[in-house]
Amino acid sequence: MSLKKIRSALISVFYKDKLEPIVELLAKHGVQIFSTGGTQKFIEDLGVPVTAVEDLTSYPSILGGRVKTLHPKVFGGILYRRELEDDLQQAEQYEIPPIDLVVVDLYPFEETLASGASEQDIIEKIDIGGISLIRAAAKNFTDVLIVSSRDQYEEVAAILAEKECATDLQDRKLFAARAFDVSSNYDTAIFNYFNQDTPVGSFKQSVREKKTLRYGENPHQQGAFYGELSSMMRQLNGKELSYNNLVDIDAAVNLIEEFQETTLAILKHTNACGVATAPTVKEAYQKAFAADTVSAFGGVLVTNKTVDKAAAEEMHSLFFEILVAPGFDDDALEVLKQKKNRIVLQQLEPLHTTKQFKSLLNGIIEQDRDLKTDGVEDLKTVTHAEPTDADRSALIFASKVCKHTKSNTIVLAKDGQLLASGVGQTSRVDALKQAILKAKEFGFELNGAVMASDAFFPFPDCVQIASGEGIKAVIQPGGSIKDQDSIDFCNKHNMAMIFTGVRHFKH
């Protein structure tokens, strides 16, 4: 197992909490400790002997602390190979002591960036010595143990206690891998900071938190989630989240963020089968459920308001996988928790991401998130008939739902309620026919309803079909070379048509 005793250690850290047990273990076993600045004082205050790095190098810390450990006696002690005679001779010749343990963390660059600090403060938190020490110690893992994060202190203390201040090759290689994880994540954050203003054309992302999932989209596929989900979602009940659960939750959260008024949506395979606004969550649920009482089974529910007991009792009879809300009354949770596998999530914060990316072919595609929400200011009436204020509200509602539905899609709505949608069809006409059929199946009267399309109409066929069903107003991006054909038909049949100028494809 290549068990090696630690004879000397270099400790220089920004965060000192939970460091004390390591220092005391090293002192107990007579390990010589080298340190700098605040860490040196921390060790001295523990009553443990410590040698200043300046005494080792015979060179002071300079440039306001920017250069402290960058010296051959430090890096030589870390990097020299204990099994090579030439390295041993040079270490003896230049009086370089072996450094068998390096405990170093990095200046908090990401935290400083997130705090909104000035550029000068951000730049000063780019660590030079620390990152170099981490890489050097990790490279020479055959001889050196590298501790690169305060998150590792307790585990390292346990190892040193168990093995009497020695480590084996497996320990050292594991911590070397973790060190390169730390360093690569750190460098990626710095690169992305600079790449904002002076883009160099590279794609780099780094997410260190990993949660292995039961499986991927299907049981024969492995799956994992990378990210700190607990900062956004608090799970209050139910089984472990699956890959498909997470995909659906993402779709649900993106959709519900479009609405300020009390709204509830029911989704299945990322598409809404029910969406409604109402004075209360209970009423919004009732209206959303009415749009498709079949597809709602096993679906994902999401609302933008606190769930009270009345709403929870109304939902309770439905079998659904997940409910997401910003809050829950205590008596509502009592109702919802009666089914132990039902996943109940409290959303703690909104989505902050502005980019989307995914693997494709032999590379990655990236785009801005579609953050454009069609509003009253975007509506341009292109027909003789003007939509009423109620129609405009219904059109904006339908457009919001349409934006989050798989293309090609048509959405039919009335009075803050999704009546039906045609989803993921190869033609817009098929999407409309599917929506009409579904609305009628669930007993909705389409006369006076409105229609939304995620993209322009290349021909007037969709408005012709819609007119025959009594649909009175249409919202679409416009932009077809044959827009006028659809406009002319609407004018002849007293339909109102609105252009937004913004397409919302979703693939």
Side-chain angles (χ1 to χ4, degrees):
M1 295 294 288
S2 302
L3 201 65
K4 292 195 173 186
K5 277 279 187 183
I6 294 172
R7 295 165 291 173
S8 63
L10 170 64
I11 307 177
S12 180
V13 296
F14 189 87
Y15 297 106
K16 299 164 187 68
D17 45 307
K18 299 184 180 179
L19 180 64
E20 183 176 344
I22 293 177
V23 173
E24 290 178 343
L25 274 165
L26 296 175
K28 176 183 175 183
H29 289 273
V31 174
Q32 182 177 14
I33 300 175
F34 300 102
S35 192
T36 64
T39 310
Q40 179 185 336
K41 183 178 185 305
F42 173 83
I43 297 170
E44 288 171 342
D45 289 345
L46 293 175
V48 172
V50 58
T51 301
V53 166
E54 289 92 333
D55 294 338
L56 169 65
T57 63
S58 300
Y59 214 93
S61 173
I62 61 172
L63 305 179
R66 281 189 166 196
V67 180
K68 290 183 287 189
T69 57
L70 297 169
H71 192 280
K73 281 201 171 181
V74 174
F75 281 86
I78 296 169
L79 284 166
Y80 87 77
R81 291 156 290 189
R82 278 59 162 174
E83 76 280 4
L84 289 187
E85 187 61 33
D86 286 349
D87 283 14
L88 289 167
Q89 289 178 2
Q90 289 185 48
E92 183 178 357
Q93 178 183 353
Y94 295 108
E95 298 181 336
I96 297 173
I99 297 176
D100 306 313
L101 169 66
V102 176
V103 183
V104 178
D105 61 9
L106 299 171
Y107 291 159
F109 176 83
E110 290 179 276
E111 293 89 335
T112 305
L113 179 61
S115 73
S118 68
E119 182 173 271
Q120 181 178 349
D121 288 340
I122 292 168
I123 296 304
E124 285 306 312
K125 289 300 184 289
I126 297 177
D127 207 311
I128 303 301
I131 202 82
S132 302
L133 290 167
I134 286 173
R135 291 177 63 85
K139 178 176 180 176
N140 200 23
F141 68 88
T142 53
D143 297 305
V144 180
L145 176 69
I146 172 62
V147 182
S148 55
S149 168
R150 58 178 169 171
D151 297 334
Q152 301 165 10
Y153 291 172
E154 290 183 273
E155 184 179 0
V156 168
I159 290 171
L160 297 182
E162 178 187 348
K163 298 177 182 177
E164 298 187 338
C165 220
T167 63
D168 60 43
L169 183 60
Q170 185 176 342
D171 296 329
R172 297 191 295 275
K173 194 166 187 178
L174 172 62
F175 280 87
R178 291 176 178 174
F180 284 119
D181 178 32
V182 168
S183 66
S184 63
N185 181 77
Y186 195 75
D187 285 339
T188 297
I190 296 168
F191 167 78
N192 284 329
Y193 170 71
F194 282 96
N195 198 43
Q196 295 177 107
D197 300 323
T198 53
V200 298
S202 296
F203 176 88
K204 289 183 173 66
Q205 292 291 330
S206 178
V207 183
R208 296 187 60 214
E209 296 81 6
K210 176 185 177 181
K211 178 177 177 58
T212 300
L213 304 173
R214 296 196 305 273
Y215 52 81
E217 200 163 5
N218 299 291
H220 63 277
Q221 295 170 271
Q222 293 183 347
F225 176 81
Y226 293 88
E228 199 174 341
L229 187 62
S230 60
S231 68
M232 184 178 183
M233 294 286 177
R234 177 182 294 132
Q235 186 163 350
L236 304 176
N237 191 63
K239 60 187 178 181
E240 188 177 346
L241 291 170
S242 71
Y243 180 99
N244 290 332
N245 290 156
L246 290 166
V247 172
D248 283 333
I249 292 166
D250 178 70
V253 168
N254 274 278
L255 171 59
I256 207 67
E257 282 194 354
E258 299 286 347
F259 299 93
Q260 283 72 51
E261 58 272 60
T262 301
T263 304
L264 185 137
I266 305 172
L267 289 87
K268 200 73 172 286
H269 298 295
T270 75
N271 292 300
C273 57
V275 186
T277 60
T280 67
V281 174
K282 175 182 175 180
E283 292 169 282
Y285 167 75
Q286 289 171 326
K287 289 173 67 177
F289 178 65
D292 188 341
T293 58
V294 175
S295 297
F297 182 86
V300 174
L301 278 59
V302 61
T303 183
N304 56 359
K305 303 298 180 184
T306 297
V307 176
D308 59 16
K309 185 179 181 182
E313 289 178 336
E314 189 69 22
M315 299 171 188
H316 184 60
S317 60
L318 174 68
F319 169 73
F320 59 87
E321 288 267 357
I322 301 165
L323 172 59
V324 182
F328 298 87
D329 289 345
D330 290 342
D331 51 2
L333 275 177
E334 288 180 14
V335 174
L336 294 167
K337 287 182 176 181
Q338 289 176 25
K339 296 188 177 180
K340 66 177 184 178
N341 287 331
R342 176 186 284 157
I343 297 168
V344 179
L345 298 173
Q346 181 183 8
Q347 185 174 347
L348 304 175
E349 62 181 17
L351 284 169
H352 297 301
T353 54
T354 58
K355 296 285 187 180
Q356 294 175 315
F357 56 88
K358 64 179 180 180
S359 60
L360 187 147
L361 298 175
N362 62 343
I364 291 168
I365 54 173
E366 180 189 47
Q367 66 171 355
D368 298 332
R369 271 182 65 208
D370 185 356
L371 298 175
K372 173 62 179 173
T373 298
D374 297 329
V376 174
E377 68 281 1
D378 302 305
L379 307 186
K380 177 185 177 183
T381 304
V382 294
T383 51
H384 300 322
E386 283 276 354
T388 64
D389 288 345
D391 291 338
R392 287 177 183 272
S393 294
L395 289 165
I396 290 172
F397 173 90
S399 177
K400 290 176 179 178
V401 177
C402 194
K403 170 184 169 182
H404 294 276
T405 307
K406 188 173 178 63
S407 301
N408 288 309
T409 185
I410 293 288
V411 167
L412 306 178
K414 184 194 288 186
D415 299 329
Q417 181 182 26
L418 171 65
L419 304 183
S421 58
V423 177
Q425 298 300 301
T426 52
S427 83
R428 210 157 296 283
V429 170
D430 286 344
L432 175 55
K433 288 179 178 178
Q434 182 189 61
I436 292 169
L437 181 66
K438 192 170 184 180
K440 289 180 176 179
E441 182 182 347
F442 289 98
F444 289 109
E445 172 57 58
L446 292 178
N447 190 50
V450 302
M451 175 173 76
S453 174
D454 59 338
F456 63 64
F457 298 118
F459 304 103
D461 43 13
C462 281
V463 290
Q464 291 169 357
I465 296 169
S467 175
E469 298 295 335
I471 291 168
K472 62 184 294 192
V474 180
I475 187 169
Q476 59 135 322
S480 168
I481 59 173
K482 294 188 176 182
D483 276 344
Q484 195 61 46
D485 291 349
S486 294
I487 295 170
D488 289 344
F489 181 88
C490 289
N491 285 334
K492 288 177 183 177
H493 295 81
N494 198 34
M495 293 176 70
M497 181 177 282
I498 295 288
F499 281 6
T500 64
V502 179
R503 189 182 73 186
H504 294 292
F505 269 164
K506 185 167 183 271
H507 290 102

